[in-house]
Amino acid sequence: MFTAKTIIRLLQIVPVAVVSIPALAYDVIAVSGGGKIEGKVVFQGDVPTKKIIPTKNREVCGGPRDEPLILVGPDKGVEDVVVYLKEVPKARHGASRQNRRKSTT
């Protein structure tokens, strides 16, 4: 059961969240001859590492070692990268949904 303090706190947060949702929207426009963004994220320099020192189950976890903070392939391509566009004021309706479907098939 919610306490009075919790209910008051929720009543303070919910209106802010509801008002903030339209700020994330963009103007829907007709797009002819749209394009696409392609590329490869490449890491320059030495890959940063983190020292791992297992304190339990050394038989399973192994001994101390340096683990990379970024997964980089032999061609310096970064693995598991997310690239996004900031401040897109206009786009065609459902643009991000269509791109997401294409990338998962």
Side-chain angles (χ1 to χ4, degrees), residues 62-85:
R65 63 192 175 278
D66 291 325
E67 295 236 343
L69 293 176
I70 301 170
L71 298 175
V72 178
D75 60 348
K76 293 291 189 177
V78 180
E79 297 179 20
D80 301 329
V81 173
V82 175
V83 178
Y84 65 96
L85 301 175

Side-chain angles (χ1 to χ4, degrees), residues 1-19:
M1 184 146 218
F2 292 115
T3 65
K5 186 176 181 180
T6 303
I7 292 172
I8 291 171
R9 188 79 173 127
L10 286 172
L11 290 174
Q12 292 172 340
I13 294 172
V14 171
V16 172
V18 171
V19 170

Side-chain angles (χ1 to χ4, degrees), residues 19-34:
V19 170
S20 299
I21 291 171
L24 301 175
Y26 53 82
D27 291 337
V28 176
I29 61 170
V31 176
S32 62

Side-chain angles (χ1 to χ4, degrees), residues 46-52 65-70:
D46 296 329
V47 176
T49 60
K50 178 180 180 181
K51 186 74 162 179
I52 304 294
R65 63 192 175 278
D66 291 325
E67 295 236 343
L69 293 176
I70 301 170

